[in-house]
Protein backbone atom coordinates (compact mmCIF):
# COMPACT_ATOMS: atom_id res chain seq x y z
CA UNK A 1 0.00 0.00 0.00
CA UNK A 2 1.17 3.51 -0.81
CA UNK A 3 2.21 5.93 1.95
CA UNK A 4 0.92 9.50 2.17
CA UNK A 5 3.95 11.70 2.90
CA UNK A 6 3.30 15.22 4.18
CA UNK A 7 6.18 17.67 3.74
CA UNK A 8 5.99 20.97 5.59
CA UNK A 9 8.46 23.74 6.30
CA UNK A 10 8.29 24.63 9.97
CA UNK A 11 9.84 27.02 12.46
CA UNK A 12 11.73 25.76 15.52
CA UNK A 13 8.67 26.61 17.65
CA UNK A 14 6.33 24.53 15.48
CA UNK A 15 4.65 27.05 13.17
CA UNK A 16 4.20 26.39 9.44
CA UNK A 17 3.18 29.94 8.60
CA UNK A 18 3.93 33.34 10.10
CA UNK A 19 1.27 35.83 11.16
CA UNK A 20 3.57 38.70 10.22
CA UNK A 21 5.63 39.25 7.08
CA UNK A 22 8.88 37.60 8.20
CA UNK A 23 11.45 36.03 5.90
CA UNK A 24 11.95 32.87 7.93
CA UNK A 25 12.38 30.01 5.45
CA UNK A 26 15.84 29.22 4.12
CA UNK A 27 14.21 28.80 0.73
CA UNK A 28 10.94 30.47 -0.11
CA UNK A 29 10.67 28.76 -3.50
CA UNK A 30 12.32 31.55 -5.51
CA UNK A 31 15.73 31.60 -7.19
CA UNK A 32 17.56 32.46 -3.94
CA UNK A 33 18.14 29.02 -2.41
CA UNK A 34 19.63 28.85 1.08
CA UNK A 35 19.79 25.06 1.08
CA UNK A 36 23.10 23.18 0.98
CA UNK A 37 23.91 20.48 -1.57
CA UNK A 38 23.15 17.58 0.79
CA UNK A 39 19.67 18.90 1.51
CA UNK A 40 18.99 19.49 -2.19
CA UNK A 41 20.04 15.91 -2.97
CA UNK A 42 17.94 14.39 -0.18
CA UNK A 43 14.90 16.46 -1.22
CA UNK A 44 15.15 15.01 -4.73
CA UNK A 45 15.44 11.47 -3.38
CA UNK A 46 11.97 11.83 -1.83
CA UNK A 47 10.49 13.00 -5.15
CA UNK A 48 12.04 10.07 -6.99
CA UNK A 49 9.89 7.77 -4.83
CA UNK A 50 6.48 9.31 -5.53
CA UNK A 51 4.07 9.02 -8.44
CA UNK A 52 1.07 10.99 -7.15
CA UNK A 53 0.92 14.48 -5.67
CA UNK A 54 -2.07 15.38 -3.52
CA UNK A 55 -2.66 19.15 -3.62
CA UNK A 56 -5.05 21.40 -1.80
CA UNK A 57 -7.43 23.35 -4.00
CA UNK A 58 -5.82 26.59 -2.80
CA UNK A 59 -2.30 25.42 -3.74
CA UNK A 60 -3.49 24.41 -7.19
CA UNK A 61 -5.39 27.66 -7.75
CA UNK A 62 -2.58 29.82 -6.36
CA UNK A 63 -0.11 28.57 -8.96
CA UNK A 64 1.86 25.65 -7.47
CA UNK A 65 1.72 23.66 -10.72
CA UNK A 66 2.51 26.64 -12.95
CA UNK A 67 5.39 27.72 -10.70
CA UNK A 68 7.15 24.34 -10.71
CA UNK A 69 6.34 23.74 -14.38
CA UNK A 70 8.12 27.02 -15.17
CA UNK A 71 11.06 26.04 -12.94
CA UNK A 72 11.38 22.72 -14.80
CA UNK A 73 11.59 24.64 -18.10
CA UNK A 74 13.96 27.29 -16.72
CA UNK A 75 16.43 24.79 -15.19
CA UNK A 76 16.16 21.65 -17.37
CA UNK A 77 19.76 20.54 -16.74
CA UNK A 78 20.17 21.58 -13.09
CA UNK A 79 20.14 18.33 -11.05
CA UNK A 80 18.53 20.11 -8.11
CA UNK A 81 15.43 20.95 -10.17
CA UNK A 82 14.83 17.29 -11.05
CA UNK A 83 12.03 17.45 -8.48
CA UNK A 84 10.30 20.17 -10.56
CA UNK A 85 10.29 17.89 -13.59
CA UNK A 86 8.90 15.13 -11.35
CA UNK A 87 6.07 17.47 -10.29
CA UNK A 88 5.27 18.05 -13.97
CA UNK A 89 5.31 14.32 -14.79
CA UNK A 90 3.50 12.97 -11.71
CA UNK A 91 -0.25 12.52 -11.53
CA UNK A 92 -1.83 15.27 -9.43
CA UNK A 93 -5.05 14.93 -7.43
CA UNK A 94 -6.99 17.88 -5.99
CA UNK A 95 -9.78 17.02 -3.53
CA UNK A 96 -12.48 19.67 -3.72
CA UNK A 97 -16.24 20.03 -3.61
CA UNK A 98 -15.89 23.54 -5.10
CA UNK A 99 -14.01 22.71 -8.29
CA UNK A 100 -15.95 20.76 -10.88
CA UNK A 101 -13.12 20.08 -13.35
CA UNK A 102 -9.36 20.36 -13.61
CA UNK A 103 -7.68 23.23 -15.43
CA UNK A 104 -4.24 21.62 -15.13
CA UNK A 105 -2.43 18.91 -17.08
CA UNK A 106 -2.20 15.45 -15.50
CA UNK A 107 -4.46 16.68 -12.69
CA UNK A 108 -7.75 15.18 -11.54
CA UNK A 109 -10.30 16.82 -9.28
CA UNK A 110 -11.94 14.37 -6.86
CA UNK A 111 -14.54 14.86 -4.15
CA UNK A 112 -13.62 16.69 -0.96
CA UNK A 113 -14.22 13.54 1.10
CA UNK A 114 -10.61 13.25 2.25
CA UNK A 115 -10.77 9.86 4.01
CA UNK A 116 -12.48 8.16 1.05
CA UNK A 117 -10.29 9.75 -1.63
CA UNK A 118 -6.98 9.30 0.20
CA UNK A 119 -7.69 5.66 1.04
CA UNK A 120 -8.56 5.02 -2.63
CA UNK A 121 -5.25 6.60 -3.72
CA UNK A 122 -3.29 4.57 -1.15
CA UNK A 123 -4.85 1.33 -2.43
CA UNK A 124 -3.49 1.85 -5.97
CA UNK A 125 -0.35 0.18 -7.24
CA UNK A 126 2.82 2.24 -7.55
CA UNK A 127 5.04 4.58 -5.58
CA UNK A 128 4.11 6.82 -2.65
CA UNK A 129 1.97 9.97 -2.53
CA UNK A 130 3.40 13.38 -1.61
CA UNK A 131 1.01 15.95 -0.21
CA UNK A 132 1.36 19.73 -0.39
CA UNK A 133 -0.99 22.33 0.89
CA UNK A 134 -1.38 25.01 3.46
CA UNK A 135 -1.83 24.65 7.18
CA UNK A 136 -5.58 24.02 6.94
CA UNK A 137 -5.28 21.19 4.42
CA UNK A 138 -2.38 19.57 6.28
CA UNK A 139 -4.27 19.92 9.55
CA UNK A 140 -7.37 18.23 8.08
CA UNK A 141 -5.33 15.30 6.77
CA UNK A 142 -3.54 14.97 10.11
CA UNK A 143 -6.75 15.14 12.17
CA UNK A 144 -8.31 12.44 9.97
CA UNK A 145 -5.32 10.14 10.60
CA UNK A 146 -4.45 9.95 6.88
CA UNK A 147 -0.76 10.92 7.02
CA UNK A 148 1.66 7.98 7.09
CA UNK A 149 4.86 10.02 7.26
CA UNK A 150 5.54 13.59 8.35
CA UNK A 151 8.64 15.21 6.86
CA UNK A 152 9.13 18.39 8.85
CA UNK A 153 11.72 20.78 7.43
CA UNK A 154 12.65 22.78 10.54
CA UNK A 155 14.07 26.18 9.59
CA UNK A 156 16.44 28.00 12.00
CA UNK A 157 13.83 30.59 13.00
CA UNK A 158 11.45 31.22 15.88
CA UNK A 159 8.17 32.89 14.87
CA UNK A 160 6.46 33.25 18.24
CA UNK A 161 3.02 32.94 16.63
CA UNK A 162 1.48 31.68 13.42
CA UNK A 163 -0.32 28.76 11.84
CA UNK A 164 0.10 25.16 13.02
CA UNK A 165 -0.89 21.77 11.59
CA UNK A 166 -1.42 19.77 14.79
CA UNK A 167 -4.17 21.84 16.43
CA UNK A 168 -7.20 19.84 15.20
CA UNK A 169 -6.23 16.24 15.81
CA UNK A 170 -5.70 16.15 19.55
CA UNK A 171 -3.09 13.98 21.24
CA UNK A 172 -1.04 11.67 19.03
CA UNK A 173 2.14 9.69 19.61
CA UNK A 174 4.68 9.71 16.79
CA UNK A 175 7.56 7.37 16.04
CA UNK A 176 10.83 8.94 14.86
CA UNK A 177 11.91 7.54 11.49
CA UNK A 178 14.97 9.74 11.14
CA UNK A 179 16.43 13.14 11.79
CA UNK A 180 19.17 14.87 9.86
CA UNK A 181 20.82 18.24 10.41
CA UNK A 182 22.24 20.11 7.41
CA UNK A 183 25.07 22.63 7.17
CA UNK A 184 22.66 25.39 6.10
CA UNK A 185 20.87 25.17 9.46
CA UNK A 186 17.87 23.08 8.37
CA UNK A 187 16.91 19.97 10.34
CA UNK A 188 14.61 17.43 8.66
CA UNK A 189 12.66 15.28 11.09
CA UNK A 190 10.70 12.31 9.78
CA UNK A 191 7.92 10.77 11.87
CA UNK A 192 5.22 8.14 11.46
CA UNK A 193 2.12 7.79 13.62
CA UNK A 194 2.77 5.28 16.41
CA UNK A 195 -0.13 2.97 15.57
Amino acid sequence: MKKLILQMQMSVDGFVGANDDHRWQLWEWGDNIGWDEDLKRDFNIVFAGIDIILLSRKMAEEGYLTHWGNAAKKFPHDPFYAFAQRIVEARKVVPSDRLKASRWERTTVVSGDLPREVEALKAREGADIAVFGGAGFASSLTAAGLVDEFQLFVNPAVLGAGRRIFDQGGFQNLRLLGSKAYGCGMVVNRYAPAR
Side-chain angles (χ1 to χ4, degrees):
M1 184 174 252
K2 293 173 173 278
K3 286 191 310 187
L4 183 71
I5 300 169
L6 173 65
Q7 282 190 344
M8 293 294 290
Q9 290 210 51
M10 180 176 277
S11 66
V12 169
D13 53 345
F15 296 101
V16 297
N19 285 343
D20 299 319
D21 190 21
H22 298 296
R23 180 168 160 58
W24 64 277
Q25 296 177 356
L26 291 176
W27 180 34
E28 294 182 341
W29 314 121
D31 291 343
N32 184 16
I33 303 170
W35 289 11
D36 59 51
E37 295 306 312
D38 287 343
L39 179 54
K40 290 177 183 179
R41 182 197 65 240
D42 290 351
F43 186 66
N44 270 292
I45 289 170
V46 172
F47 274 87
I50 60 134
D51 64 3
I52 295 176
I53 296 173
L54 184 67
L55 279 178
S56 70
R57 175 191 53 81
K58 284 184 180 179
M59 281 286 256
E61 289 183 323
E62 291 173 2
Y64 177 91
L65 299 172
T66 302
H67 177 79
W68 293 120
N70 289 340
K73 291 175 191 166
K74 185 175 178 180
F75 304 105
H77 304 295
D78 185 332
F80 172 54
Y81 283 95
F83 77 88
Q85 187 61 44
R86 192 78 195 107
I87 290 170
V88 170
E89 295 167 354
R91 177 173 176 236
K92 276 77 66 182
V93 176
V94 179
S96 174
D97 289 329
R98 291 186 188 176
L99 294 175
K100 299 303 173 204
S102 172
R103 307 189 287 265
W104 309 279
E105 284 186 48
R106 291 186 256 333
T107 304
T108 306
V109 174
V110 296
S111 84
D113 183 340
L114 288 176
R116 185 182 74 213
E117 299 297 349
V118 170
E119 292 304 329
L121 290 173
K122 286 182 181 183
R124 293 175 178 246
E125 294 291 321
D128 290 329
I129 306 161
V131 60
F132 302 102
F137 187 58
S139 189
S140 295
L141 291 165
T142 301
L146 300 171
V147 178
D148 298 299
E149 183 176 329
F150 297 93
Q151 294 184 357
L152 306 175
F153 286 63
V154 182
N155 286 263
V158 175
L159 297 178
R163 292 175 298 284
R164 298 183 185 270
I165 61 169
F166 294 107
D167 288 346
Q168 289 184 33
F171 178 80
Q172 184 178 21
N173 279 319
L174 300 176
R175 180 173 43 89
L176 182 67
L177 300 175
S179 184
K180 186 171 180 181
Y182 294 89
C184 63
M186 183 78 76
V187 176
V188 177
N189 293 317
R190 295 174 45 243
Y191 296 97
R195 294 180 180 149

